Amino acid sequence: MVWFGLCLILLAVVTGGRNMMVKGVNVSYDGRSLHIDGQRKILFSGSIHYPRSTPDMWPSLIDKAKQGGLDVIQTYVFWNLHEPQPGQYDFTGRNDIVSFIKQVQQQGLYVSLRIGPFIEAEWSYGGLPFWLHDVPGIVFRTNNEPFKFYMQNFTTKIVDMMKAENLFASQGGPIILSQIENEYQNVEGSFHDDGSRYVNWTAQMAVDQNTGEPWMMCKQDDAPDPVINTCNGMKCDETWKGPNSPNKPSIWTENWPSFLQGFGEEPYMRSAQDLAFHTTMFIIKMNGTFVNYYMFHGGTNFGRTSAAFIITGYYDQAPLDEYGILRQPKYGHLKDMHAAFKLCLQTLLYGNLAIEHLGDNQDAYVYTGNAGECVAFLVNNSSKEGVEMVFRNTSYTLPAKSVSILPDCKNVVFNTGMVNTQASTRSMQPVIRFDSAQQWQAFSEAVPQFDQTSLRSDTLLEQMNTTKDTTDYLWYTMRMELNSSEAQYMLHVNSLGHVLRAYVNGALVGYAHGTRKVTNFTFENTVSLSTGINNISFLSIMVGLPDSGAFMERRSAGLREVLIQELNFTNSPWGYQVGLLGETLAIYTDEGSSKVSWSQYQNPSTITWYKTTFDAPEGTEPIALNLGSMGKGEVWVNGQSIGRYWVSFKTPSGLPSQTWYNVPRSFLKPSGNLLVLFEEEYANPLNISLDTVSIDKVCGRVSDSHPPRVNSREVSGHYRWRPMPRVHLRCPKKQIISKIVFASHGNPSGDCENYSIGKCHSSNSQQVVEKACLGRRQCSVSHTPKSFGEDPCPGTPKTLLVDARCE
Ligand SMILES: *[C@@H]1O[C@H](CO)[C@@H](O)[C@H](O)[C@H]1NC(C)=O
Ligand SMILES: *[C@@H]1O[C@H](CO)[C@@H](O)[C@H](O)[C@H]1NC(C)=O
Ligand SMILES: *[C@@H]1O[C@H](CO)[C@@H](O)[C@H](O)[C@H]1NC(C)=O
Ligand SMILES: *[C@@H]1O[C@H](CO)[C@@H](O)[C@H](O)[C@H]1NC(C)=O
Ligand SMILES: *[C@@H]1O[C@H](CO)[C@@H](O)[C@H](O)[C@H]1NC(C)=O
Ligand SMILES: *[C@@H]1O[C@H](CO)[C@@H](O)[C@H](O)[C@H]1NC(C)=O
Ligand SMILES: *[C@@H]1O[C@H](CO)[C@@H](O)[C@H](O)[C@H]1NC(C)=O
Ligand SMILES: *[C@@H]1O[C@H](CO)[C@@H](O)[C@H](O)[C@H]1NC(C)=O
Ligand SMILES: *[C@@H]1O[C@H](CO)[C@@H](O)[C@H](O)[C@H]1NC(C)=O
Ligand SMILES: *[C@@H]1O[C@H](CO)[C@@H](O)[C@H](O)[C@H]1NC(C)=O
Ligand SMILES: *[C@@H]1O[C@H](CO)[C@@H](O)[C@H](O)[C@H]1NC(C)=O
Ligand SMILES: *[C@@H]1O[C@H](CO)[C@@H](O)[C@H](O)[C@H]1NC(C)=O
């Protein structure tokens, strides 16, 4: 009985501890930092957008963010998902923002909520619902009553919803910071005085919501008090003027670990070292109090949600890749940096700063506390040969453009330029091939002709206003009567975007498209026309709505001018078909697919639907469709669109921007999954495959100059000094190290991408590493000569490089 009672008390203590945020906290700020219950804070945050993954992935994404040392999860709010029609709301499934925020709270992290409701975000229409386009008299994002009405209405809806669920920190919830508008400064000038009026109204409207927490406006140097202006960019430590008041803290809302990518564009690879350098400099040089990685997990632009020309995988190069797999060494290097900062926080936030110039481009930021605590950041800002850095009688060597962190002003625990974390290689393994023609059925989309259309106009219509964004596709059809005999004519079409496919009497005569940066284009081709009536049809295709810029409501797409020789058909009778027949009948669903008669697959043809079924692959690894043999179109699994694909638009290096397309496991049932593709070009579905996504190789490299790795369990202010670095390798769950592909202790040259044995090499390197690692999920090998028996080359600095296979 006594024990039972004690257990109850213990249980209460434990759960009380876990739900620390039940009591409201006071979030405030001054010029030094954000404060939580009066305590100065440096918070690391990462963007994870709830609709860009599936709810079953949320717990593990949040957990990985937490394990990576983040304190905060930041998300936008996606207005056009939540209010598809005025006053009709959707907060279910991937749109369940309340559930997402509660899951962040359950894992003990804070939330930064960027309500917008204009968000840009490489998201369709920058998050604005398309119906706003048709509100009489509306001008987006300026001092315009209709716009302000709907903006306030939705902002209030979201704030009220958060309040009703007690999600603001003042109520005991996780939300510590909210954002209104988004990078408005980029367009403010276009609206003259109304721009500034709108900024003032926006700030007041937000503050009047009484959330109990600070508000911010990113990239908004004139953000009125008490709203905090913040920075977005790659190098906010170098490019930003800082807060617009000495009483506001320095916040970096978007630190880009990679960058947005359009079809036809290469991925942007930002190194872990560069990211760590600028993040550290922002904190010490700018008094940075909050740094958010945009994105920490990018995820997937499912369906038609991505903005114009934006690829379906979003920020795959982020610390968590599109599938939620750790992208190494980026994830691990940031994790090590966060852990190093946590050793320094108290002194960094409350000590006195003195900056010592130790040489050209070399500084020491030294923070000292009242009880003699000392934290130092040694900065080598040089990219050219520099002098040696001597700090407190000790000499330090740093790579170019790097910072070393010394939590005791003596020992380096982290250097932004020296990566201790393993690199990993992702591999895609085909598990299902769709290579038999028998398993495919096809349905050709008909080319509509003028006589068959019911929507008519005497001019070329603007595309978005005609489709109302219900589809990417709009057919423009016309007739031309030729009185002379059959001949060749020059067909000239000018389009505002994005893609055009031209048909004369049912036959494809050509194809053209714009790009993310220049969406408009001209199509010209010689075509043969026959005597009598010719039916000319153009399929105009959008690859997402615009997401930025002033006057977005006036943006245009679709055909603008059509000439045949010198005859101008721009203002002549046109017939329209909005969307494809297959879309109207939803033939990508189980129910809809029976509404048309499919035929056996024979040869590739254009504007064709393909369907097949497949069983879910075993296991739990993420899976993706390899669409490398396809052209351009959209793909559905069990009726859910996994996004647009476009592999025929190659990057300058000759590769598709995206070959693999994420198929969330939660979209699948054990067997009989319906796979449907709509393909616009001549492409071969027989060569596609369903692949599992996994890490199959890990590689680590350390040398004498590397600091030891901070153990994140030691962050409470004490750490054990380990003088020599080690190579740590770790395979994903349920895998083991099956082979040591390369091991060299000595002076191997190169890095994990490309390496070879150097002049100095311990002959037993392979043996020692195999003994320590083979058959294990993870291992750690010390880099000291002692581990390898003998020093193969006394006096020469040593490196240990190990490349291993996981199975
Ligand atoms: C950083 O904060 C300290 C303490 O408030 C202040 O003295 C210093 O001027 C600030 N530095 C910058 C660059 O804002
Ligand atoms: C929150 O903290 C700030 C600064 O410490 C203080 O000025 C303010 O009164 C506090 N607010 C509440 C509601 O306690
Ligand atoms: C928002 O507008 C809807 C009508 O579209 C209305 O029913 C609702 O009361 C408005 N909400 C607020 C907070 O103004
Ligand atoms: C907006 O508010 C600022 C003060 O925060 C003021 O200087 C400015 O004149 C206001 N703009 C307009 C157009 O009223
Ligand atoms: C470092 O060098 C860059 C130019 O390469 C300069 O813009 C920046 O201000 C320098 N930073 C410091 C802290 O000196
Ligand atoms: C800073 O980097 C430069 C360029 O790599 C290098 O020559 C110099 O020695 C470094 N400085 C220190 C103190 O390590
Ligand atoms: C550095 O060395 C000098 C002379 O050896 C000594 O006087 C000084 O106290 C030392 N400084 C530190 C910080 O150890
Ligand atoms: C949109 O279409 C309607 C007719 O459906 C027309 O009245 C209006 O002018 C069009 N707006 C634009 C911006 O083209
Ligand atoms: C062909 O003749 C018809 C009837 O006379 C006329 O309407 C049409 O414009 C002519 N077509 C061309 C291309 O000249
Ligand atoms: C595209 O639009 C720009 C700006 O309006 C114009 O200068 C350019 O000539 C257009 N290009 C084509 C191919 O229509
Ligand atoms: C054009 O379409 C009309 C009716 O849809 C059809 O009668 C005619 O044969 C077509 N012309 C050609 C050249 O295919
Ligand atoms: C064709 O007609 C349109 C609409 O009247 C006009 O804007 C365009 O300049 C004309 N093109 C030519 C080459 O005359």
Side-chain angles (χ1 to χ4, degrees), residues 511-522:
Y511 162 77
H513 65 82
T515 66
R516 182 171 70 85
K517 292 189 175 134
V518 185
T519 57
N520 62 338
F521 59 91
T522 298

Side-chain angles (χ1 to χ4, degrees), residues 85 130-131 133-134 304 462-471 545 578:
Q85 295 302 325
F130 190 79
W131 52 260
H133 174 271
D134 293 335
R304 299 169 48 251
E462 193 284 313
Q463 182 152 349
M464 288 177 268
N465 193 31
T466 310
T467 63
K468 304 297 176 199
D469 191 36
T470 54
T471 169
L545 296 186
V578 173

Side-chain angles (χ1 to χ4, degrees), residues 83 86-87 89 149 153 156:
E83 197 176 356
Y89 296 103
F149 170 81
N153 186 293
T156 308

Side-chain angles (χ1 to χ4, degrees), residues 132-144:
L132 281 177
H133 174 271
D134 293 335
V135 170
I138 201 160
V139 184
F140 295 172
R141 302 174 70 205
T142 183
N143 187 34
N144 168 275

Side-chain angles (χ1 to χ4, degrees), residues 708-748:
R709 186 138 173 246
V710 185
N711 183 335
S712 52
R713 279 192 291 275
E714 298 172 25
V715 297
S716 50
H718 305 282
Y719 60 96
R720 194 161 45 91
W721 175 249
R722 278 157 306 190
M724 289 307 269
R726 303 166 74 90
V727 164
H728 297 264
L729 297 180
R730 184 183 166 105
C731 291
K733 261 188 209 138
K734 295 190 189 151
Q735 292 187 30
I736 54 158
I737 296 171
S738 61
K739 187 176 179 206
I740 302 301
V741 182
F742 179 89
S744 177
H745 172 259
N747 64 355

